[in-house]
Amino acid sequence: MLLTMTSGVAAVVWDRPDGSKVQVLAMGPGELSPTLRTAVEQCLQWNAPEGLLRPAEGEQQVPVSLADLAVATERGDRALVLFMNDVGYATCDIKSDGTREPSGGGATEPWPHGEWLPGPVQRLLLTSTDSDGGDVSVSGRVSGRVDRLVLDHGDGRSTAARISGGAFGLMTSGARLKIDEGPELVSYDARGAEIDRRPLFQAEDQLEHCYASPDGRRIYGKPTSRCLPAESWNR
């Protein structure tokens, strides 16, 4: 299993588990199933100083603990785990059928721009069952403006994300998402007004708008003439 990092986004693809209907989405350590807890412990081992996860060249290892668990998802014999704290994040994709040593990959990275987000939402982890879509699991972080987050499939269907402590997670079931059909993450505020819409499969460095910190420094997106304000993140 190879997990790649591009513009602060982790993305992997796995084969669809035959006949598997088991799906779990946990937002924090208090909601873990027994198998998800095993996956979380495995990710913590991989992220230890002598573990398998290594930061990018020149970056520091992000120390995480069970208390930093933000999102954990499970489908069949695969689990996805995301830890977040003030330093950065660590994430793992783990395959375990219970008969052999778990396999998978992951990434650990300090926040590139501290508490600033590229607008109301930042996708951190995306997995799909097919190379061009299929079912997806998505996790990331949101600003305080976001009250509701929905994945618009692009075919008339949608899946709502769960939001907790500045983190979000969602899993689709039986979806046939296609990159060329334009699935989008859509954010709404507490009044129900849409505040942001962005392509699910688009990397941060390809966003339509750039985003700038309060001092005017461009920190996300393409170099354009006018940047939108970056938004702060708090857990």
Side-chain angles (χ1 to χ4, degrees):
M1 169 60 63
L2 175 65
L3 187 148
T4 59
M5 294 293 297
T6 305
S7 301
V9 176
V12 295
V13 177
W14 70 75
D15 294 331
R16 189 185 305 275
D18 292 337
S20 176
K21 301 296 184 182
V22 178
Q23 296 188 11
V24 178
L25 173 60
M27 304 293 290
E31 300 181 343
L32 295 176
S33 67
T35 50
L36 264 183
R37 180 169 289 275
T38 298
V40 166
E41 293 171 351
Q42 182 66 67
C43 189
L44 287 172
Q45 291 180 25
W46 286 352
N47 195 57
E50 302 303 320
L52 296 177
L53 299 191
R54 292 289 185 269
E57 185 176 354
E59 298 285 4
Q60 69 184 85
Q61 190 94 16
V62 177
V64 296
S65 68
L66 182 61
D68 299 318
L69 180 66
V71 182
T73 67
E74 181 179 47
R75 180 187 282 116
D77 60 359
R78 290 201 178 272
L80 307 169
V81 181
L82 174 65
F83 299 92
M84 301 193 301
N85 55 32
D86 291 340
V87 178
Y89 70 94
T91 184
C92 299
D93 172 88
I94 301 166
K95 176 178 173 61
S96 177
D97 59 10
T99 64
R100 63 191 74 182
E101 188 72 16
S103 60
T108 179
E109 183 180 44
W111 299 124
H113 304 295
E115 76 277 22
W116 298 111
L117 305 179
V121 61
Q122 182 179 36
R123 187 199 73 186
L124 292 173
L125 180 66
L126 167 65
T127 69
S128 62
T129 54
D130 302 313
S131 59
D132 62 347
D135 268 317
V136 298
S137 294
V138 191
S139 59
R141 53 182 187 161
V142 294
S143 75
R145 283 207 301 154
V146 179
D147 184 71
R148 187 165 65 97
L149 181 66
V150 173
L151 172 61
D152 181 344
H153 295 195
D155 60 2
R157 299 179 60 194
S158 64
T159 299
R162 288 188 61 194
I163 299 176
S164 177
F168 77 85
L170 68 85
M171 301 178 71
T172 64
S173 178
R176 296 292 180 184
L177 274 70
K178 296 293 184 182
I179 293 177
D180 57 7
E181 291 180 356
E184 296 177 306
L185 288 172
V186 188
S187 305
Y188 300 88
D189 65 16
R191 296 175 300 173
E194 182 179 315
I195 57 177
D196 185 77
R197 180 179 290 265
R198 62 186 61 194
L200 173 66
F201 291 99
Q202 193 171 61
E204 285 178 355
D205 59 359
Q206 296 298 316
L207 293 173
E208 180 181 355
H209 301 287
C210 65
Y211 294 86
S213 58
D215 61 6
R217 181 168 51 95
R218 185 182 68 84
I219 56 178
Y220 290 106
K222 296 179 180 179
T224 56
S225 58
R226 177 179 175 273
C227 288
L228 298 177
E231 299 192 22
S232 61
W233 174 66
N234 296 287
R235 291 202 70 189

